Amino acid sequence: MKIIILNESKAADPLNHVEKRVAVTPGSAQKLVKKGITLLLEQGAGEASGYADKEYAAVGVTIIADVNPVLPTVDMLAAVNKPSEAHLALMKKGAMVVGHLDPFFQQPLIESIAEKGLTALSVEMIPRSSRAQKMDALSSQASLAGYVMVMQAVNQLPSILPMMMTPSGTIKPAKVFVLGAGVAGLQAIATARRLGANVLAYDTRPVVAEQVESLGGKFLNIDIGETGQTKDGYAKELTDEQKARQQDAQRDAIAGSDIVITTAQLFGRKPPVLITKATLALMKPGSVVVDMAATSGGNVEGSVAGETIEINGVKVIGDGYWSQAVARAATDMYANNIYNLIDEFFDDESRSFGLNLDDDILAGSVIAHNGKITNDMLLNAYRGA
Amino acid sequence: MKIIILNESKAADPLNHVEKRVAVTPGSAQKLVKKGITLLLEQGAGEASGYADKEYAAVGVTIIADVNPVLPTVDMLAAVNKPSEAHLALMKKGAMVVGHLDPFFQQPLIESIAEKGLTALSVEMIPRSSRAQKMDALSSQASLAGYVMVMQAVNQLPSILPMMMTPSGTIKPAKVFVLGAGVAGLQAIATARRLGANVLAYDTRPVVAEQVESLGGKFLNIDIGETGQTKDGYAKELTDEQKARQQDAQRDAIAGSDIVITTAQLFGRKPPVLITKATLALMKPGSVVVDMAATSGGNVEGSVAGETIEINGVKVIGDGYWSQAVARAATDMYANNIYNLIDEFFDDESRSFGLNLDDDILAGSVIAHNGKITNDMLLNAYRGA
């Protein structure tokens, strides 16, 4: 089995952002090579996350200057993001593409992958089961995002998070409000608590209140009637009336906060707007809002993807590439996810990836195979159903 | 008594930095006005720290657009930094100037203040006694600096500070080494510990080991023979041999650290170099060094005042305006220090500042009076003794 890793820091995305992560570390590469896998790595692929070519070469990875001649020979392209059409066009039929393929919003690309007869595994579609946890890239990156969002907010705030009692006076702890207590939200709560802030959190799923409280946060109770979560653990979309009641109740909490962090995402759909311009205008000058979803539509009206802007004296952070701010940690986690995925399905006899589509992990995450799009949820979304 | 507060954000310093702090808040202004003091504030003086003119006006402060016509009438100019010669030239004989006058390095300015017959109170010279603590601006700002230095390092580090144990793998806690455990160093230790880092600290004064350990840090013991501290609580300067032994022993700790924060300052003299270029070269790429003393000469060879640079893949932060990164908190603390100073010596009968030079706080901090420089330590330094 031959796997190639591209240098994803060579091309910028539409927001002019350059990817810093890479799909293998020297540590994970070593374990793949030990399985008998031939591992090719495009020159400089690990540099932005702190790993030099020579560290990969030392564990048996072949460093490639020009990937085009070798792409037709590989069995798998393991990536962080979606590969380019140009690279995909060079791959042989039956080869696998693994990465954050963003399938709900990349219909043309996924259709083109299917047409080429490639097999696409989208890491976002890996189910949230206890067996799949070790491959769950969305969770590993979201957890780091939660930490990073607090740190970015801290660096914009004109005061400090902890209470400070000194002979020169007392500074009260900052008030942090976290909207959405999923993986990212919980890590944001934990990080802000570590730093001594007063943390309030809200989620449409009352079931997470206990987790929030076990981290030292307070849970904001809002009665909006029946809510719930999908089988994947995502919050269900609310009705318009529920949204209105929720926003009313959150208004005071937002207005009184020094930092607000929004982490609401809906699986396969645009994220909901949680903070309107009118609510933002209630915040004190100098306060900070972090919109985790800025690059995918935004939880905050007026946030700008990839930028930190000021609206009426309030800093609104829409960076979006959260986990990459800690690129080495993000790469370590992601490389583990990719290794665990390959390890789980590696067939020792054939020395290849055992593509058992009856397995629930692969049934969910393999979205194109044998010329077809194989995921019903995706097909429904593409049909606009 | 008439006090004026200038808008110090109007002029940049030689490093092109604009001061964000101001010497009074609306809160401290209100208390001064209640004493019967006439308080004048230059337009926009509080804006950069989050306080609008109208908040000052609401508590009885007079907002001044052009300060030049009123400067000859004031009894005190209370500032954060040293005032300009142009402003000083307008003040009447016997009036007081209060602020960070940086007297050891501003001989011409202090001499000029003395020649004009002004009274200069340098907040850096306020003694470190329990009675003076509430006026101790060096300590209040250093404490915030300790917090800010950790936060700035965190935002440059490609990994996270806390240990993170997840199904996707474990990230080890970052290693932070703090050199110098004074007010700033202790706050840096406390902040890094809050965030879950492993913290090692060193100080030439073994007496602080217990404080380091009570904050959860480890103290690096180096036997360099007799050391000690001055009566003001500063570390004594070391002999060349002591310095060499200290640097040898620190080398391993520095090389193994993810973040190194240097906080060594000597009272009235240039700070010592703690990290040479050769030692810096031993650090891993991606690690971060914060040089607290960068703007006054530097603890780290090669650090650049006011900038973050990269040396062999190591980020070296020399920002220097640490407390101003949390300008509102820094202003709140400093304004308390200034209020407490005035309050301590305000004479209710004459309704003026009681300039009792027999008082040990004023004896130390009033450095020019009645046409003369009145501080012996300073006079000796000026004479090169």
Side-chain angles (χ1 to χ4, degrees):
Chain A
M1 184 176 179
K2 198 189 268 185
I3 303 179
I4 194 164
I5 310 293
L6 299 181
N7 180 349
E8 298 181 52
S9 70
K10 281 171 79 173
D13 77 358
L15 287 171
N16 211 23
H17 176 82
V18 169
E19 176 62 54
K20 290 198 191 116
R21 293 166 298 175
V22 61
V24 297
T25 58
S28 78
Q30 184 168 33
K31 293 193 285 178
L32 292 169
V33 169
K34 270 200 186 138
K35 285 186 180 298
I37 292 170
T38 301
L39 200 55
L40 313 175
L41 181 112
E42 186 175 8
Q43 224 169 47
E47 233 161 64
S49 52
Y51 295 113
D53 286 346
K54 62 177 183 211
E55 295 175 74
Y56 291 99
V59 296
V61 177
T62 306
I63 308 298
I64 306 284
D66 180 5
V67 298
N68 290 355
V70 297
L71 271 170
T73 72
V74 304
D75 303 299
M76 181 188 282
L77 163 57
V80 180
N81 299 303
K82 55 183 195 299
S84 69
E85 288 274 10
H87 283 143
L88 291 169
L90 293 169
M91 294 179 70
K92 70 181 179 201
K93 211 174 150 177
M96 267 184 93
V97 179
V98 179
H100 290 89
L101 303 179
D102 192 19
F104 287 98
F105 302 98
Q106 301 294 335
Q107 185 175 351
L109 180 82
I110 306 303
E111 284 172 348
S112 148
I113 288 176
E115 276 161 30
K116 287 184 179 77
L118 298 170
T119 297
L121 192 158
S122 165
V123 296
E124 298 101 322
M125 307 290 277
I126 291 174
R128 290 190 156 175
S129 64
S130 52
R131 193 174 133 246
Q133 270 190 311
K134 61 186 177 186
M135 322 167 196
D136 186 350
L138 277 195
S139 290
S140 74
Q141 303 302 301
S143 186
L144 293 170
Y147 170 89
V148 168
M149 289 190 291
V150 173
M151 292 308 163
Q152 294 199 357
V154 159
N155 273 269
Q156 294 288 345
L157 194 74
S159 192
I160 62 174
L161 259 60
M163 176 156 82
M164 208 182 259
M165 290 177 74
T166 75
S168 305
T170 295
I171 294 177
K172 281 190 240 166
K175 288 184 185 167
V176 176
F177 183 28
V178 177
L179 280 154
V183 177
L186 289 171
Q187 188 61 241
I189 293 165
T191 305
R193 283 294 305 149
R194 275 177 180 281
L195 278 169
N198 277 339
V199 180
L200 181 70
Y202 175 73
D203 197 288
T204 52
R205 302 160 300 161
V207 62
V208 298
E210 209 176 301
Q211 278 173 279
V212 169
E213 281 154 12
S214 74
L215 292 170
K218 270 183 74 176
F219 192 80
L220 179 67
N221 281 303
I222 306 177
D223 183 13
I224 53 167
E226 202 193 331
T227 59
Q229 58 185 14
T230 68
K231 66 174 172 53
D232 305 303
Y234 283 87
K236 275 191 185 162
E237 192 163 12
L238 303 179
T239 65
D240 284 349
E241 202 211 313
Q242 284 178 316
K243 282 183 199 164
R245 274 159 73 183
Q246 184 179 292
Q247 284 186 3
D248 280 352
Q250 288 167 4
R251 196 167 296 138
D252 281 353
I254 293 168
S257 295
D258 299 296
I259 294 174
V260 178
I261 297 177
T262 66
T263 72
Q265 305 197 286
L266 296 168
F267 192 67
R269 266 172 304 170
K270 267 192 68 165
V273 171
L274 301 181
I275 304 186
T276 61
K277 279 191 176 159
T279 303
L280 201 63
L282 301 174
M283 293 185 74
K284 297 181 295 264
S287 34
V288 181
V289 176
V290 185
D291 181 356
M292 185 180 184
T295 44
S296 58
N299 292 148
V300 180
E301 235 186 318
S303 73
V304 178
E307 289 181 33
T308 296
I309 58 166
E310 204 172 306
I311 302 177
N312 297 327
V314 177
K315 293 265 170 63
V316 181
I317 305 178
D319 176 19
Y321 304 94
W322 311 106
S323 73
Q324 294 185 55
V326 289
R328 194 173 67 212
T331 286
D332 289 351
M333 292 284 203
Y334 188 70
N336 282 341
N337 295 141
I338 293 297
Y339 171 78
N340 291 335
L341 173 76
I342 296 171
D343 179 53
E344 181 79 12
F345 296 107
F346 193 71
D347 179 34
D348 281 320
E349 269 180 40
S350 66
R351 303 218 154 273
S352 65
F353 192 92
L355 203 65
N356 172 14
L357 293 181
D358 292 334
D359 181 283
D360 66 326
I361 294 175
L362 296 182
S365 60
V366 171
I367 57 170
H369 181 58
N370 254 345
K372 285 186 200 129
I373 292 174
T374 52
N375 183 293
D376 287 342
M377 213 191 323
L378 209 53
L379 283 169
N380 286 336
Y382 289 174
R383 285 192 206 106
Chain B
M1 182 176 182
K2 196 190 268 188
I3 302 180
I4 193 164
I5 311 294
L6 298 182
N7 179 350
E8 298 182 52
S9 71
K10 282 171 82 174
D13 78 357
L15 287 170
N16 209 23
H17 176 83
V18 169
E19 175 63 53
K20 291 198 191 113
R21 294 167 295 176
V22 61
V24 297
T25 59
S28 78
Q30 184 167 34
K31 292 193 287 178
L32 291 169
V33 170
K34 272 201 186 135
K35 286 187 179 299
I37 292 170
T38 302
L39 199 56
L40 313 176
L41 181 110
E42 186 175 8
Q43 223 168 48
E47 233 161 63
S49 52
Y51 295 113
D53 286 345
K54 62 177 183 216
E55 296 176 72
Y56 291 100
V59 297
V61 177
T62 306
I63 309 298
I64 306 283
D66 180 5
V67 298
N68 289 356
V70 297
L71 270 169
T73 72
V74 305
D75 303 297
M76 181 188 283
L77 164 58
V80 180
N81 300 302
K82 56 184 194 297
S84 69
E85 288 274 12
H87 283 141
L88 291 171
L90 294 169
M91 293 179 71
K92 70 181 179 201
K93 211 173 150 179
M96 266 183 96
V97 179
V98 180
H100 288 88
L101 303 180
D102 192 19
F104 287 98
F105 302 98
Q106 301 294 336
Q107 185 175 350
L109 180 81
I110 307 302
E111 285 172 348
S112 145
I113 288 176
E115 276 161 30
K116 286 184 178 76
L118 298 170
T119 297
L121 191 156
S122 165
V123 296
E124 298 100 323
M125 307 291 277
I126 291 174
R128 289 189 156 177
S129 64
S130 53
R131 192 174 134 246
Q133 271 190 311
K134 61 186 177 185
M135 321 165 196
D136 186 349
L138 277 194
S139 290
S140 75
Q141 303 302 301
S143 186
L144 294 170
Y147 169 89
V148 167
M149 289 189 290
V150 172
M151 292 308 163
Q152 294 199 357
V154 159
N155 272 270
Q156 294 289 345
L157 194 74
S159 193
I160 61 174
L161 259 59
M163 175 156 82
M164 209 184 257
M165 291 178 72
T166 76
S168 305
T170 296
I171 294 177
K172 282 189 240 163
K175 288 183 184 166
V176 176
F177 184 28
V178 178
L179 281 154
V183 177
L186 289 170
Q187 188 60 240
I189 293 164
T191 305
R193 283 295 305 149
R194 274 176 180 281
L195 278 169
N198 277 338
V199 180
L200 181 70
Y202 176 72
D203 197 289
T204 52
R205 302 160 300 161
V207 61
V208 298
E210 208 178 303
Q211 278 174 281
V212 169
E213 281 154 11
S214 75
L215 292 170
K218 271 183 71 176
F219 191 80
L220 178 67
N221 281 302
I222 307 175
D223 182 13
I224 52 167
E226 201 195 331
T227 59
Q229 57 185 14
T230 67
K231 67 173 172 51
D232 304 303
Y234 282 87
K236 274 191 186 163
E237 192 162 16
L238 304 179
T239 66
D240 286 347
E241 203 211 313
Q242 284 178 315
K243 282 182 197 163
R245 276 159 72 184
Q246 184 180 292
Q247 285 186 2
D248 281 350
Q250 288 168 3
R251 198 168 294 139
D252 282 353
I254 293 169
S257 295
D258 300 296
I259 293 173
V260 178
I261 297 176
T262 65
T263 71
Q265 304 197 289
L266 296 167
F267 193 69
R269 265 171 305 170
K270 266 191 70 166
V273 172
L274 301 180
I275 305 186
T276 61
K277 278 191 175 160
T279 303
L280 201 64
L282 301 174
M283 293 186 75
K284 297 181 296 265
S287 33
V288 181
V289 176
V290 185
D291 182 355
M292 185 180 183
T295 43
S296 58
N299 292 148
V300 181
E301 235 186 317
S303 73
V304 178
E307 287 181 33
T308 295
I309 58 165
E310 204 172 307
I311 303 177
N312 298 324
V314 177
K315 294 264 170 65
V316 181
I317 305 177
D319 176 20
Y321 304 95
W322 312 106
S323 73
Q324 294 184 54
V326 289
R328 194 175 63 212
T331 286
D332 289 351
M333 292 283 204
Y334 187 70
N336 282 340
N337 295 142
I338 293 297
Y339 171 76
N340 291 334
L341 173 76
I342 296 171
D343 179 52
E344 180 78 13
F345 296 105
F346 193 72
D347 179 35
D348 281 321
E349 267 180 41
S350 65
R351 303 217 153 275
S352 65
F353 193 91
L355 202 65
N356 171 12
L357 294 181
D358 291 334
D359 181 282
D360 66 328
I361 294 176
L362 296 183
S365 59
V366 171
I367 57 171
H369 182 59
N370 253 346
K372 284 188 201 127
I373 293 174
T374 51
N375 183 293
D376 287 342
M377 214 188 328
L378 207 54
L379 282 169
N380 286 336
Y382 289 173
R383 284 190 206 108

